[in-house]
Amino acid sequence: MNMHSACYQRFYNYVAISLGMTSFNYNATTATYKQRLWMRVLALVGNLCTVLSLPFIFRDAMERTSAIQWNPTMTYTNYLTYSVRTLVVLYTILKRGKIDLVNYEVLRKYRCLRETYLGQLPRVALIERRMNRLFYAKYINMSMLILLTAVIFLQIRGFEFTWSNLYLLLMVLQTTAILHLTIFNFFWFLWSICCSLKYVQWRIRNLLLEMSESVRTGKRWRLNMLAAEVQRILEAHWQLSELARLVTQNYRFLALALFFDEITSVVRQLYYGFIFTFDHRAELYFLVVGTVYFFAMVLDVYLNFLICDITVRAYYACVHQLDNIYALDSHCKALEETVS
């Protein structure tokens, strides 16, 4: 998990600064945020370019989609979808200072928790393998969506090279990257917390087995030793739940808006897919690109909801296992004090 944390933080910092999403650089070694003049200037230039380009991007998107015959419901859906995207980008830019501060606080507390307790737990291959697959799937899928956005834009423009088209393409990619990086950062925070909760769940399960064995064999002294470990795992579980609360509070509006955008985008893509396939008789190349983009969007929606679901399930699985430990408190005075 350390490798993913360091690599992703470096990637996110440099890309986010260039996109104007942040003017801070997080140093994973010293656990500090640094803000330099060139970062502030670059972020400010990126913000100005993005804000000034949003009306043109919105108009271009509506002009392109209005060229296709649709029903009135799809007209309102497109207006609503592009409006949500515009507001999300504006919110990300205007609130980037607050978002940065909360992110820093979460990273600081998570790093402290790993150094004091979680980092001492042995690595479990099954947990690492499953969670790594989830991380790579999200990372690769996000990269594909950004790349396919550029491909689809060039398809619609007919590969006509003009300075205005080039500038519009760069701005479309910039806003698209802001949207995907925002939800990916939310995903990464929950992924990190979920990994830790999985290890907490694994440790509680082992503790329960050890304590049950001690009760069965009458080794009360062993229960007294394990009570201190129960106290530490309770503290880790509580701190992880607090970190999850901070993350969801920091991203609650952005995540909700982006989840809505992704769901409506899947419906729109499916609708246009039928139009291009049966009404416009599009070429095979366009159909392949559109199909790949559609399934990439479906996978992205699935992964976003999946990380939320498994994080919640991991949290309550820990709670359920802790309840089983509480049932042993009558066999151990130290454990009874911990439970109370």
Side-chain angles (χ1 to χ4, degrees):
M1 289 189 295
N2 287 331
M3 180 188 68
H4 293 308
S5 300
C7 291
Y8 175 66
Q9 276 303 312
R10 285 196 295 267
F11 163 78
Y12 174 77
N13 283 160
Y14 294 131
V15 175
I17 291 173
S18 63
L19 294 175
M21 295 177 63
T22 182
S23 59
F24 288 87
N25 181 42
Y26 178 74
N27 190 321
T29 303
T30 60
T32 57
Y33 260 131
K34 293 184 178 179
Q35 186 184 51
R36 295 187 174 89
L37 179 61
W38 70 268
M39 297 178 186
R40 298 177 64 180
V41 172
L42 186 60
L44 179 60
V45 172
N47 292 161
L48 290 175
C49 292
T50 303
V51 172
L52 294 176
S53 302
L54 283 176
F56 300 100
I57 296 174
F58 184 89
R59 186 187 65 181
D60 179 76
M62 292 307 303
E63 287 178 352
R64 287 188 283 108
T65 53
S66 62
I68 306 172
Q69 296 294 327
W70 55 26
N71 56 54
T73 302
M74 293 306 300
T75 303
Y76 296 127
T77 302
N78 278 277
Y79 272 112
L80 184 59
T81 300
Y82 292 129
S83 298
V84 168
R85 291 181 181 178
T86 303
L87 292 175
V88 168
V89 174
L90 285 175
Y91 184 90
T92 303
I93 291 174
L94 296 177
K95 294 290 186 177
R96 61 182 173 90
K98 174 181 175 295
I99 294 173
D100 281 339
L101 291 177
V102 177
N103 287 346
Y104 168 70
E105 186 68 12
V106 173
L107 288 169
R108 185 186 65 80
K109 291 182 177 180
Y110 183 71
R111 177 185 174 90
C112 181
L113 182 60
R114 284 188 54 81
E115 290 177 347
T116 55
Y117 182 75
L118 294 176
Q120 301 174 7
L121 297 177
R123 300 295 90 189
V124 181
L126 181 61
I127 296 176
E128 295 282 333
R129 186 165 56 250
R130 288 180 176 177
M131 297 306 295
N132 287 347
R133 283 202 296 261
L134 184 61
F135 179 89
Y136 288 130
K138 176 65 177 178
Y139 186 87
I140 294 172
N141 195 67
M142 178 193 67
S143 304
M144 284 183 55
L145 285 171
I146 296 175
L147 177 62
L148 289 172
T149 299
V151 173
I152 293 174
F153 182 89
L154 293 174
Q155 283 181 346
I156 295 173
R157 291 284 172 174
F159 299 97
E160 180 182 356
F161 178 83
T162 62
W163 288 110
S164 61
N165 283 345
L166 179 60
Y167 176 77
L168 192 59
L169 172 62
L170 293 176
M171 290 298 100
V172 168
L173 289 178
Q174 183 186 35
T175 54
T176 303
I178 289 175
L179 295 173
H180 286 295
L181 275 177
T182 298
I183 197 64
F184 187 84
N185 209 35
F186 174 72
F187 176 93
W188 178 78
F189 275 118
L190 285 186
W191 178 86
S192 301
I193 294 172
C194 185
C195 285
S196 298
L197 284 173
K198 290 285 186 180
Y199 276 100
V200 168
Q201 180 184 355
W202 172 83
R203 182 55 185 153
I204 294 175
R205 186 185 303 115
N206 289 337
L207 277 174
L208 185 60
L209 292 175
E210 293 178 25
M211 297 177 76
S212 299
E213 179 65 18
S214 299
V215 171
R216 188 180 64 83
T217 57
K219 297 179 179 179
R220 300 294 180 88
W221 58 270
R222 179 62 177 166
L223 285 176
N224 291 326
M225 295 178 59
L226 294 174
E229 179 71 10
V230 174
Q231 179 62 39
R232 288 194 294 269
I233 206 71
L234 280 170
E235 180 68 19
H237 183 261
W238 177 80
Q239 290 190 31
L240 287 170
S241 66
E242 282 297 298
L243 291 181
R245 183 185 63 82
L246 286 175
V247 171
T248 53
Q249 284 187 345
N250 198 30
Y251 285 92
R252 60 185 184 274
F253 297 122
L254 291 173
L256 181 62
L258 288 171
F259 286 172
F260 172 81
D261 169 69
E262 288 187 331
I263 293 174
T264 56
S265 296
V266 168
V267 175
R268 290 170 55 250
Q269 191 69 17
L270 184 63
Y271 175 79
Y272 293 135
F274 279 106
I275 290 180
F276 279 115
T277 302
F278 300 107
D279 292 347
H280 290 259
R281 304 296 181 181
E283 298 179 6
L284 179 62
Y285 172 74
F286 294 96
L287 293 178
V288 170
V289 172
T291 302
V292 173
Y293 185 72
F294 170 76
F295 283 107
M297 291 175 62
V298 172
L299 178 60
D300 200 63
V301 173
Y302 170 75
L303 292 174
N304 290 334
F305 283 101
L306 178 63
I307 192 62
C308 297
D309 180 63
I310 62 175
T311 303
V312 172
R313 284 193 285 115
Y315 170 81
Y316 282 108
C318 294
V319 172
H320 177 69
Q321 290 178 338
L322 287 171
D323 288 339
N324 294 331
I325 291 181
Y326 295 163
L328 301 174
D329 62 351
S330 60
H331 300 276
C332 175
K333 184 65 177 176
L335 182 61
E336 183 178 359
E337 293 176 355
T338 299
V339 171
S340 63

